[in-house]
């Protein structure tokens, strides 16, 4: 029974860590960075296309607020009531994924035949906004060096997280504290460095400073991370992750071996001649492809299963100032959505 509760406790901690990392990464994942440092607010509205007709309504999807220095201070994600669950595809009832060419032609048809009229209606405010509620909200605080020191996260008014960050005199991150509305899920992450300020160890502790996970980092003579050894004391679980690089220092592969069940997984990367990541492969036959414009903006991100089947696709359109103004989303259920962005300046 004790072993059972240890496993459950560990699972909760892993889910918390994954959730935190995904939420933190979302700040930049949609390319809505304040590149010029003069945005006050960015808003996103989503339109779902069905039956080759222009949508009559839109969903207020997201709002981001920035301070005068260009730092993200608040982010709100909205949702139609009860609709924020991920799309689940049943292979027995859903048609097979479409090819890249078919998806591209469908998007081009929307761009040429329907988008001009939709944008006119959108800017003239002649479209209805579907009733939404706040699904997620984040508020951020920074120190005088623009380092994040605080975050307040809320999801559907039921899930709350208060996070703080601490740094040493050199500016290196040394501690994170994350407190939830349920104290059983509270955790702390601590960072340890050598005399050259290179990260050599990371610890995850629970609310009473009991060690839940420890990671030890090994480097080569170029100070590139080549091995990470992870130990999980509560369930006596350990894993080793190895990292490989190309001649210019790009990470090309990392692989993880789990000692408790002898499982093995890997992810590999490819780059173009400008050292931009173009492909991600894994041992589950998934394949991500990234396409860039001449300036370096990501203009397409696609996910394949196998050789040709598109699982999902994102297309990004930018204005002359490199601000994203349109995003096309192809989902697993074969639907296509268009997201339009508006900017408010200081």
């Amino acid at each position: 029974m004790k072993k059972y509760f240890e496993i459950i406790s560990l699972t909760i901690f892993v889910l918390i860590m994954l959730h935190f990392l995904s939420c933190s990464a979302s700040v930049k994942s949609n390319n809505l960075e304040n590149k010029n440092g003069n945005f006050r607010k960015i808003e996103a509205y989503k339109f779902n296309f069905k039956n080759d007709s222009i949508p009559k309504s839109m969903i207020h999807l997201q709002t981001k607020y920035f301070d005068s220095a260009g730092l993200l201070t608040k982010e709100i994600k909205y949702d139609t009531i009860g609709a924020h669950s991920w799309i689940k595809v049943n292979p027995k009832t859903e048609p097979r994924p479409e090819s890249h060419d078919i998806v591209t032609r469908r998007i081009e048809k929307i761009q040429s035949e329907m988008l001009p009229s939709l944008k006119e209606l959108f800017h003239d405010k002649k479209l209805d906004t579907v009733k939404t509620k706040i699904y997620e909200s984040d508020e951020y605080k920074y120190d005088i060096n623009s380092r994040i020191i605080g975050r307040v996260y809320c999801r559907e008014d039921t899930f709350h997280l208060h996070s703080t960050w601490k740094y040493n005199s050199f500016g290196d991150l040394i501690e994170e504290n994350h407190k939830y509305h349920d104290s059983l899920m509270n955790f702390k992450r601590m960072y340890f460095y050598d005399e050259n300020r290179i990260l050599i160890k990371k610890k995850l502790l629970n609310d009473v400073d009991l060690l839940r996970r420890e990671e030890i980092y090994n480097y080569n003579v170029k100070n590139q991370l080549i091995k990470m050894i992870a130990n999980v004391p509560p369930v006596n679980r350990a894993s080793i992750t190895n990292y490989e690089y190309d001649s210019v220092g790009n990470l090309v592969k990392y692989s993880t071996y789990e000692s408790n069940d002898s499982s093995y997984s890997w992810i590999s990367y490819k780059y173009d001649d400008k050292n931009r990541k173009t492909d991600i492969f894994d041992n589950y036959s998934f394949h991500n492809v990234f396409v860039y414009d001449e300036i370096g903006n990501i203009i397409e991100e696609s996910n394949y299963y196998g050789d040709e089947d598109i699982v999902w696709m994102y297309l990004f359109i930018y204005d002359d100032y490199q601000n994203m103004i349109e995003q096309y989303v192809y989902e697993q259920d074969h639907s296509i959505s268009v997201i339009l962005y508006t900017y408010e300046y200081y």
Side-chain angles (χ1 to χ4, degrees), residues 129-332:
T129 302
V130 175
K131 184 178 180 181
T132 59
K133 65 177 182 179
I134 293 177
Y135 176 72
E136 291 180 326
S137 66
D138 278 289
E139 293 189 38
Y140 303 91
K141 291 184 178 180
Y142 305 86
D143 63 15
I144 59 175
N145 296 309
S146 300
R147 298 174 303 206
I148 187 168
I149 58 173
R151 173 193 183 214
V152 178
Y153 170 80
C154 178
R155 186 179 69 204
E156 293 186 316
D157 293 328
T158 59
F159 188 89
H160 303 273
L161 167 65
H162 293 258
S163 303
T164 58
W165 287 260
K166 296 180 181 179
Y167 304 84
N168 61 22
S169 58
F170 298 105
D172 303 314
L173 177 63
I174 57 174
E175 186 177 312
E176 302 173 29
N177 284 278
H178 305 282
K179 297 186 180 296
Y180 289 76
H181 61 288
D182 184 348
S183 62
L184 293 176
M185 297 192 295
N186 293 346
F187 69 97
K188 175 168 64 177
R189 190 179 288 115
M190 301 184 69
Y191 299 80
F192 303 86
Y193 304 84
D194 64 12
E195 63 275 8
N196 296 315
R197 297 176 58 189
I198 296 175
L199 180 67
I200 57 173
K201 184 187 298 185
K202 190 185 298 183
K203 289 184 178 182
L204 180 72
L205 304 99
N206 69 1
D207 198 45
V208 292
D209 288 340
L210 179 66
L211 182 64
R212 290 299 188 183
R213 180 181 173 90
E214 181 180 69
E215 297 176 356
I216 299 174
Y217 304 97
N218 296 326
Y219 301 83
N220 60 19
V221 294
K222 297 180 179 180
N223 289 331
Q224 296 170 324
L225 176 64
I226 56 173
K227 180 180 292 187
M228 187 268 285
I229 303 172
N231 297 294
V232 185
V235 293
N236 194 28
R237 181 179 178 181
S239 65
I240 297 177
T241 302
N242 293 299
Y243 301 84
E244 302 173 23
Y245 303 85
D246 61 19
S247 59
V248 295
N250 294 314
L251 177 67
V252 294
K253 185 177 182 179
Y254 72 87
S255 53
T256 301
Y257 173 76
E258 298 282 351
S259 62
N260 63 320
D261 59 4
S262 298
S263 63
Y264 176 79
S265 60
W266 57 265
I267 294 179
S268 65
Y269 305 92
K270 285 187 177 180
Y271 302 83
D272 61 16
D273 56 1
K274 296 181 179 179
N275 295 319
R276 299 178 301 195
K277 191 179 298 179
T278 59
D279 299 82
I280 303 178
F281 303 88
D282 66 21
N283 56 295
Y284 299 105
S285 298
F286 285 100
H287 175 201
N288 279 39
V289 178
F290 302 87
V291 180
Y292 302 83
D293 62 17
E294 295 179 355
I295 302 176
N297 295 313
I298 295 179
I299 58 175
E300 180 180 323
E301 179 180 354
S302 303
N303 179 266
Y304 297 82
Y305 182 74
D307 296 328
E308 297 182 355
D309 295 341
I310 287 280
V311 180
W312 48 257
M313 177 194 288
Y314 298 135
L315 292 182
F316 308 102
I317 307 296
Y318 302 85
D319 63 16
D320 293 338
Y321 302 99
Q322 314 314 314
N323 301 318
M324 188 190 303
I325 54 175
E326 301 170 21
Q327 179 179 344
Y328 297 83
V329 183
Y330 172 76
E331 300 281 8
Q332 294 182 18

Side-chain angles (χ1 to χ4, degrees), residues 42-55:
I42 303 176
E43 295 199 88
Y45 295 85
K46 182 177 181 180
F47 304 83
N48 293 314
F49 282 84
K50 296 180 180 179
N51 303 322
D52 293 334
S53 60
I54 299 174

Side-chain angles (χ1 to χ4, degrees), residues 27 30-45 60-66 70 72 74-76 78 322-325 339-345:
V27 173
N30 55 11
N31 293 346
L32 289 183
E33 299 178 53
N34 199 344
K35 300 175 183 177
N36 302 320
N38 58 355
F39 297 150
R40 180 191 302 273
K41 182 170 66 172
I42 303 176
E43 295 199 88
Y45 295 85
H60 190 185
L61 193 66
Q62 183 182 34
T63 303
K64 288 189 173 187
Y65 297 91
F66 301 85
L72 177 64
K74 187 173 184 178
E75 180 178 12
I76 300 174
Y78 302 93
Q322 314 314 314
N323 301 318
M324 188 190 303
I325 54 175
I339 301 174
L340 301 181
Y341 298 93
T342 64
Y343 297 82
E344 181 179 314
Y345 298 82

